[in-house]
Amino acid sequence: MRIAIVTGASSGMGMEMVRQIPYLYKNLDEIWVIARRKERLFSLAKQVILPLRIFEGDLSTDQIFDQLEAAFRKEQPDVRMLVNAAGFGKSGNFCDIVQKDDTVLLEMIDLNCRALTKMITISISYMNKGSRIINLASAAAFCPQPSFAVYAATKAYVDRFSKALSAELKSKNIYVTSVCPGPVNTEFFQISGGVATSIKKRCMASPKAVVYRALQDSKAKKERSVYGITMKLSKGLAKRLPENWVIWFFTIQQKDKESTR
């Protein structure tokens, strides 16, 4: 059985991945989808040309991984693609967030980093020549971001881990792509705790376009997928400008965001 696996499939980029993957991989038998909101997954199943196998659960707990490992042992699938799209962000001053909820930042690290790593850990032995791993990072990975400190750090982990893993798996002809979009028009900003800054609003991309680019870059065996000229320029500037300048810029942007509330 040839399958793709998508985490975070009930919304945003994960949902769009499920919609588009069948047009890239036409010989898949199933897509295994993982998310907490089962009703959304059943709704998605009606929109996709391939059968979906639904796993309802929270990736920050071990129960869902036990279910997946049991399914792996039973089906012995050929995992052609793993998409780690599950994740969330929380914006705001670190101390302010801690005062309101002293667990949310650790939950973010668990989902964005630990769960992503564990998904690869349990899936890798079922991958073969030509398999792909797509990890949803972010342009936030390119530099430290005040008022998005933990989120940006988790995405830096995803991006760096993906690049190192890509080097390790190349000899097995398994390809890893880190997807680093800028702001995407999904539910992300509702969950993160506020509207995007004025610059982010102007750079907002559609999930359909970002996912299409990501899948094409994965097909081309690229280690990183960055959608749009603006984000490619941002990546270049983040490399060349002194880090303190970049931090100052994001601090100013956050003040502008707060002044427009």
Side-chain angles (χ1 to χ4, degrees):
M1 176 186 291
R2 297 166 66 90
I3 68 169
I5 304 172
V6 182
T7 72
S10 62
S11 65
M13 301 275 281
M15 181 178 284
E16 189 58 38
M17 283 283 183
V18 176
R19 291 186 179 121
Q20 292 195 36
I21 283 172
Y23 299 100
L24 180 66
Y25 284 98
K26 299 185 185 297
N27 57 353
L28 290 175
D29 296 301
E30 288 184 348
I31 302 178
W32 293 11
V33 293
I34 305 159
R36 291 179 300 169
R37 293 174 286 190
K38 183 168 65 173
E39 70 284 352
R40 287 196 177 191
L41 297 178
F42 281 118
S43 176
L44 178 62
K46 299 174 184 177
Q47 306 169 33
V48 182
I49 60 176
L50 281 175
L52 301 189
R53 186 175 299 202
I54 292 170
F55 294 84
E56 178 193 13
D58 186 347
L59 285 166
S60 62
T61 68
D62 287 332
Q63 183 180 2
I64 186 66
F65 292 106
D66 292 341
Q67 293 178 36
L68 284 166
E69 288 184 291
F72 281 147
R73 288 192 296 269
K74 180 181 179 182
E75 302 290 351
Q76 295 294 308
D78 178 5
V79 179
R80 304 312 300 154
M81 177 174 278
L82 167 63
V83 179
N84 283 302
F88 77 97
K90 194 71 177 176
S91 66
N93 179 277
F94 179 88
C95 292
D96 292 342
I97 295 173
V98 170
Q99 284 182 345
K100 292 177 183 176
D101 185 346
D102 61 1
T103 63
V104 68
L105 297 177
L106 297 178
E107 289 169 358
M108 196 192 314
I109 295 169
D110 275 348
L111 184 57
N112 294 3
C113 300
R114 180 182 176 275
L116 175 145
T117 307
K118 189 161 185 176
M119 275 302 306
I120 297 172
T121 300
I122 68 172
S123 303
I124 195 69
S125 60
Y126 296 92
M127 292 184 173
N128 299 289
K129 181 179 179 180
S131 291
R132 261 72 172 176
I133 299 171
I134 296 180
N135 292 326
L136 266 292
S138 167
F142 300 152
C143 56
Q145 289 199 18
S147 296
F148 234 176
V150 174
Y151 176 76
T154 65
K155 293 305 181 178
Y157 169 85
V158 173
D159 187 51
R160 298 296 186 271
F161 170 53
S162 298
K163 196 165 181 63
L165 187 64
S166 175
E168 291 183 13
L169 295 177
K170 206 163 276 185
S171 62
K172 297 183 178 183
N173 295 309
I174 297 173
Y175 305 101
V176 185
T177 300
S178 172
V179 183
C180 298
V184 182
N185 189 16
T186 66
E187 299 171 23
F188 177 84
F189 290 105
Q190 298 172 30
I191 297 168
S192 68
V195 297
T197 63
S198 57
I199 287 181
K200 287 182 178 179
K201 286 179 181 178
R202 289 196 291 271
C203 299
M204 195 77 71
S206 76
K208 186 174 182 179
V210 174
V211 166
Y212 178 80
R213 179 74 270 147
L215 289 173
Q216 291 302 315
D217 287 341
S218 174
K219 183 179 179 181
K221 306 174 185 177
K222 292 186 178 181
E223 292 182 343
R224 186 181 280 138
S225 178
V226 182
Y227 174 81
I229 296 298
T230 304
M231 289 305 112
K232 289 177 182 178
L233 287 172
S234 298
K235 175 176 170 285
L237 287 172
K239 279 186 173 181
R240 289 168 176 79
L241 291 176
E243 198 169 77
N244 286 342
W245 290 16
V246 178
I247 292 172
W248 172 83
F249 173 78
F250 280 108
T251 301
I252 294 298
Q253 283 297 302
Q254 183 63 23
K255 289 179 180 178
D256 171 66
K257 172 183 168 182
E258 291 171 355
S259 68
T260 58
R261 285 179 176 172

